[in-house]
């Protein structure tokens, strides 16, 4: 645990123990960290999983790489340093949501291994679930839902992951989710089943 | 809505409408923004309210001014600019929690009116509840739970709110919570009753 900038702060204990919170809400929080190229399907899958969880009355929320940049991280760009700070902040927020007992999905390219490992390191053991949304770049480029690959190939977007900036694939992700040739529902069901297997969500 | 730094991002729609989420979770989110001097009782009251809500099975969470500085905002100090950025980020996170249908309490000194108004401005209408924890500085200094006033009076803490830095009291808070001569339970009950009155929590 790194030290904050000021020494004149102390910890506040919450009145509620983690186990009490889990029992009160009948829920266990975790971070489903989806990582993959632009267009790989991260957000679409994350939102479908959220929907499945809400249908079960489970507290779930998606932190979205694109959306959050209009709020918390609107001061950040796409340089390596800003990408790192982007992921750091999201990781801290995801950790808070998980601590609050939400199944928290995050949908960010998060191209750097070190940044993802940093988030893993701050999360309580077993609560960080790295999901490699493994879609070949050719497939992502074919989908190109926002026309970004086209722009990137034309040199209009600097530092575009997979084109002019690196993507470091996870080495030991909890889940490798192959999306090519599969439906969103199939992929979402695979994640939901994982959550049930691990006891984050009750079956049925 | 201010524009983010990059233009190459687009909004993702969530699959779940707000009303559907509220119905699925039987919950309505809001931000209970507690503001007041150090030692005024913000955190203590916020945690007690959280406990009361969890006892009712309601999703609730406290963002704490001291604690969050070990995580999300550990890069920030106590200069005016850093205090503003501190509150900006917390406001964005609180907004996300409220969007997720949590009753989100924040316990920050948040001494600048403009910073608090900025958070109010980004929250959907009616979901930002400013709670002025109105404890006279003499009382705060008498409590001095962390010995900070003592240090500040000795000149050991620069820019300490109420001593060597300003506190701008709210002009039109939703709630003024007088704590002198009252118990934590009385103050927490007042907030809970407000939430019930406004329909954020069901009675009983």
């Amino acid at each position: 645990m790194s030290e904050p900038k000021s020494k004149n702060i102390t910890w506040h204990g919450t009145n509620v123990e983690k186990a009490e919170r889990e029992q009160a809400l009948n829920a266990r929080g975790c971070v489903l960290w989806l990582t993959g190229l632009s267009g790989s399907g991260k957000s679409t899958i994350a939102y479908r999983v959220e929907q499945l969880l809400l249908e079960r009355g489970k507290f779930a929320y998606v932190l979205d790489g694109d959306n959050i940049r209009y709020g918390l991280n609107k001061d950040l760009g796409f340089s390596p340093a800003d990408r790192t700070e982007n992921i750091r902040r999201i990781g801290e927020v995801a950790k808070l949501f998980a601590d609050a007992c939400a199944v928290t999905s995050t949908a960010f390219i998060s191209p750097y291994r070190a940044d993802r490992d940093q988030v893993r390191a701050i999360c309580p053991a077993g609560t960080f679930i790295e999901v490699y949304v493994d879609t070949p770049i050719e497939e992502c480029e074919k989908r190109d839902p926002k026309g970004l690959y086209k722009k990137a190939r034309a040199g209009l977007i600097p530092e575009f992951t997979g084109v002019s900036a690196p993507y470091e694939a996870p080495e030991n992700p909890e889940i490798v989710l192959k999306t090519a040739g599969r439906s969103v529902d199939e992929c979402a069901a695979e994640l939901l089943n994982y959550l049930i297997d691990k006891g984050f969500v009750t079956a049925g």
Side-chain angles (χ1 to χ4, degrees), chain A residues 130-190:
Chain A
E130 192 173 17
V131 181
Y132 177 27
V133 183
D134 185 10
T135 310
I137 191 166
E138 297 74 23
E139 172 74 16
C140 296
E141 198 155 358
K142 207 167 64 185
R143 296 179 188 169
D144 204 9
K146 309 172 209 162
L148 295 179
Y149 283 96
K150 207 169 190 174
K151 281 192 194 173
R153 295 290 179 196
L156 299 174
I157 308 177
E159 299 174 293
F160 191 79
T161 300
V163 174
S164 47
Y167 178 77
E168 300 173 1
E171 287 178 330
N172 291 299
E174 275 70 13
I175 304 175
V176 178
L177 204 55
K178 303 261 184 196
T179 75
R182 297 175 73 201
S183 72
V184 173
D185 282 340
E186 282 177 89
C187 295
E190 185 176 337

Side-chain angles (χ1 to χ4, degrees), chain A residues 95-139:
Chain A
K95 180 188 174 185
L96 293 172
F97 268 87
D99 185 52
C101 287
V103 174
T104 319
S105 300
T106 65
F108 305 86
I109 297 173
S110 49
Y112 301 128
R113 204 171 286 136
D115 295 347
R116 297 189 305 262
D117 288 348
Q118 201 49 45
V119 179
R120 181 187 291 273
I122 64 166
C123 290
T127 65
F128 180 83
I129 302 161
E130 192 173 17
V131 181
Y132 177 27
V133 183
D134 185 10
T135 310
I137 191 166
E138 297 74 23
E139 172 74 16

Side-chain angles (χ1 to χ4, degrees), chain A residues 68-79 81-83 85-86 88-89:
Chain A
I68 211 147
R69 282 187 174 269
Y70 286 91
L72 180 64
N73 292 354
K74 67 181 178 186
D75 54 324
L76 302 175
F78 290 86
S79 69
D82 277 9
R83 282 179 191 253
E85 173 65 4
N86 182 51
R88 185 192 74 79
R89 290 188 200 166

Side-chain angles (χ1 to χ4, degrees), chain A residues 1 39 63 84 119 124 199:
Chain A
M1 163 94 43
L63 301 174
T84 291
V119 179

